[in-house]
């Protein structure tokens, strides 16, 4: 009796089964990676080469964000502090603050060799997305909106997803993230407690700022993908 099915039928069935398994595995892996906070780096808090507590330097010492990140109002990119900025306070010939602390060995070494401090970058948007720090900061978007309550962090962590949908939510309704330019780096500022706002809520004041500054944040692809 002749075979009803071709000889390669079993081979095709095996290939089809393997293909289904591979596609299922790929779909599960993609969902796990791209659809969870892990992909968006939320909670990422790498160990830095120099122990640096923002909680101490900002909340206790009173340093402004611009003291270390001095270019955010003029540059598309936020700069990280150079060793000289740190040495201005901690150097034995400068402020001499904790100059003998063992936690500053890396700082001393980089200062003596002229090499930059090998800080580990925490916040990063994809290379294919255009983001301008100065455009946001100069229009009243606080460091707090994207980086969280850094003034309370001993170790800086990735607080917000910085995903496309997260950015678009703000671009469509920026009112809740706008404040006076003078308060952009004040991470404890509260619109409801500011006497100069005459009792206005954050949303009400944000709408005024949006209209006054002519803010029209892009919501199309070309706004961020150039």
């Amino acid at each position: 009796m002749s075979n009803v099915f071709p000889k390669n039928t079993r081979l095709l069935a095996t290939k089809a089964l393997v293909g289904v398994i591979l596609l299922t595995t790929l779909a599960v892996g993609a969902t796990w990676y791209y659809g969870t906070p892990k992909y968006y780096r939320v909670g990422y808090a790498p160990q830095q080469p120099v122990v640096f507590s923002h909680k101490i330097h900002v909340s206790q010492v009173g340093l402004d964000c611009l003291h270390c990140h001095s270019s955010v109002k003029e540059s598309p990119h936020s700069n990280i502090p150079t060793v000289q900025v740190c040495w201005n306070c901690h150097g034995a010939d400068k402020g001499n603050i904790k100059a003998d602390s063992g936690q500053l060995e890396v700082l001393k070494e980089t200062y003596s060799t002229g090499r930059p401090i090998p800080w580990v970058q925490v916040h990063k948007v994809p290379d294919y997305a255009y983001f301008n720090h100065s455009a946001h900061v100069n229009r009243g978007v606080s460091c707090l909106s994207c980086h969280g309550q850094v003034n309370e962090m001993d170790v800086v962590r990735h607080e917000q997803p910085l995903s496309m949908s997260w950015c678009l939510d703000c671009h469509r309704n920026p009112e809740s993230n706008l404040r006076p330019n003078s308060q952009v780096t004040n991470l404890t500022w509260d619109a409801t407690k500011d006497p100069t706002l005459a009792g206005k809520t954050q949303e009400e004041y944000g709408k005024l700022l949006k209209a006054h500054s002519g803010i029209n944040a892009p919501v199309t692809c070309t706004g961020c993908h150039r």
Side-chain angles (χ1 to χ4, degrees):
M1 182 177 178
S2 60
N3 294 328
V4 177
F5 300 102
K7 293 182 179 181
N8 63 347
T9 300
R10 180 175 297 181
L11 179 60
L12 290 175
T14 302
K15 289 182 177 180
L17 179 60
V18 172
V20 169
I21 293 175
L22 289 175
L23 287 174
T24 302
T25 302
L26 181 62
V28 172
T31 300
W32 174 81
Y33 185 71
Y34 292 104
T36 63
K38 180 179 177 62
Y39 173 66
Y40 298 118
R41 297 162 62 98
V42 172
Y44 177 58
Q47 182 178 357
Q48 297 292 349
V50 178
V51 178
F52 183 91
S53 170
H54 277 74
K55 185 176 183 179
I56 291 176
H57 288 78
V58 178
S59 293
Q60 295 183 25
V61 178
L63 292 182
D64 188 273
C65 303
L66 296 176
H67 182 83
C68 295
H69 308 287
S70 56
S71 69
V72 293
K73 287 192 172 184
E74 294 83 27
S75 171
H77 306 288
S78 173
N79 63 303
I80 56 177
T82 64
V83 65
Q84 184 61 58
V85 172
C86 303
W87 204 251
N88 285 341
C89 290
H90 292 287
D93 58 336
K94 301 291 183 179
N96 201 34
I97 299 174
K98 292 186 175 295
D100 298 325
S101 173
Q103 296 179 344
L104 299 179
E105 288 303 318
V106 174
L107 178 63
K108 296 175 183 177
E109 180 183 351
T110 54
Y111 183 77
S112 62
T113 59
R115 296 197 303 268
I117 302 174
W119 296 111
V120 179
Q121 186 172 3
V122 179
H123 301 87
K124 179 177 174 60
V125 295
D127 292 337
Y128 54 77
Y130 175 78
F131 178 83
N132 189 316
H133 259 91
S134 61
H136 289 74
V137 173
N138 290 323
R139 284 166 178 77
V141 179
S142 173
C143 313
L144 178 70
S145 296
C146 299
H147 300 296
Q149 210 76 50
V150 179
N151 57 312
E152 296 179 358
M153 298 180 188
D154 282 318
V155 177
V156 172
R157 63 181 178 275
H158 203 289
E159 189 76 5
Q160 302 292 349
L162 304 185
S163 63
M164 182 174 67
S165 62
W166 182 84
C167 294
L168 284 174
D169 285 342
C170 180
H171 277 215
R172 293 188 180 106
N173 300 287
E175 294 84 1
S176 60
N177 290 306
L178 299 179
R179 58 176 64 190
N181 281 353
S182 60
Q183 302 296 337
V184 164
T185 59
N186 180 2
L187 304 185
T188 61
W189 182 81
D190 185 344
T192 61
K193 299 179 181 179
D194 191 328
T196 65
L197 301 190
K200 292 183 176 64
T201 65
Q202 171 65 59
E203 295 295 327
E204 291 172 337
Y205 188 63
K207 288 180 180 179
L208 291 176
L209 287 176
K210 179 181 177 181
H212 176 73
S213 300
I215 294 176
N216 185 25
V219 293
T220 60
C221 301
T222 55
C224 299
H225 303 289
R226 303 181 177 184

